[in-house]
Amino acid sequence: MKYKLVFKRRLFALLAILLAGVAAFFVFFADYLFEGKRQSVPYSQFYSLVEQNKIQSVSIKSDCLDYSLDGTDYRTQNPDSPLLKEFLLRHDVEVDEETDGAEIFSIIMDVAFYLFFFGIIIVAFRKFISPNTFKVVHKTGKTFKDVVGMDSLKSDMKQVMDMMLNPEVYRKKGMRMPKGILLEGEPGNGKTLFAKALAGEAKVNFIPAKATDFESMFMAIGPMKVKLLFRKARRKAPCIVFIDEFDGIGTRRNYSGSAIETENTRIVTALLNELDGFEATEGVLVVAATNSIAALDPALIRPGRFDARVAVPYPDEDARCQLVKMYSGGKNFAQDCTAEVLARKFKGFSCAKIESVINKACMIALQKEKAVSLSDIEEASRQV
């Protein structure tokens, strides 16, 4: 199938080149093919005949003048004089100016250039502002069972999920769903996983985005993408919009005047407008993840926009024990490498680091062709 597609494309390109060549041939050589042979005469003789009013019509071409006299076709050189046409008209000669083949080709090339130029602009615009920029995930495949720890946060989110699915019930009680939830914590502790699990648990649409999605080499593209994201979220409600690396686009506004700061200010302003522009009853929940709340613009994270701020800490000993059991499942560990022992050794490790250390230890043990030991774990901890 792939080879057939490549063959069709090459055949189409070959036919296009062939047609362009045939068109160019007819443009430049049509006169010689279809007009027959004409007798050449000096321009002085032609000029004299015009003065004597013996010539009724003349065809002006780029390099010659064609006329007929007494049933015979003649051709003379074109002096390319700006007064030639006036001279002929004053002697009642019917003038026919033919478009030159080179001029036609030049027009064709100009049209082709503008089509190519605007085509590039349209393609670039569709790439940077495409309706498919932000994918809608209908099923994340994650639930709260996949999230280790965060029990209190899971409990709080159950009520939020119920509000999202039944906004009218809570509106009659005078309550509204939070517009936004801000997750703060060190990298690797499960902020993204929690957002996916929240959407999966609520069985609502999930639209993931990250700070780099709003960056562009063109000014004003970032704010347009913000509007596109929230417009899509309203259409796909109920849904969760997850913005990762939120501090990458929501930093404090700086009015220094530089292009980068100006664009950042526009993005933040667009976010403020969108967060204020939709009602909580619309069923759109914004979940943003950041490594530092202090870096964010105060207007962006005030109550009414992000109503809940949740710290995602390093896993405690019980969570670490569960993580070890999950990541070590199906692997060959020595008897002294129990989940409880490893949980104590992994104190202060993030979820991602625990997984990386266990994976690295397994690789070390595989090279030695033995079960994973505590020494392997310690060596892997130093390398990760």
Side-chain angles (χ1 to χ4, degrees), residues 4 6 59 72 96 124 146-147 225 228 249 301 357:
K4 288 183 179 179
V6 172
S59 177
T72 305
D96 178 26
D146 300 297
V147 180
K225 286 187 175 182
L228 175 67
I249 58 170
I301 58 175
V357 169

Side-chain angles (χ1 to χ4, degrees), residues 331-374:
K331 297 179 175 65
N332 185 18
F333 276 74
Q335 291 184 354
D336 57 345
C337 283
T338 62
E340 292 74 14
V341 171
L342 294 182
R344 289 192 294 270
K345 283 187 171 293
F346 290 153
K347 184 178 181 180
F349 284 21
S350 67
C351 303
K353 188 173 182 178
I354 291 173
E355 190 275 335
S356 296
V357 169
I358 291 176
N359 186 66
K360 184 66 177 178
C362 291
M363 294 173 64
I364 295 172
L366 183 62
Q367 293 176 351
K368 300 176 181 178
E369 297 182 354
K370 64 181 185 64
V372 179
S373 63
L374 288 176

Side-chain angles (χ1 to χ4, degrees), residues 183-189 191 289-293 310-314:
L183 304 178
E184 182 190 24
E186 295 298 320
N189 278 328
K191 297 186 291 295
T290 179
N291 299 330
S292 174
I293 287 183
V310 180
V312 181
Y314 286 106

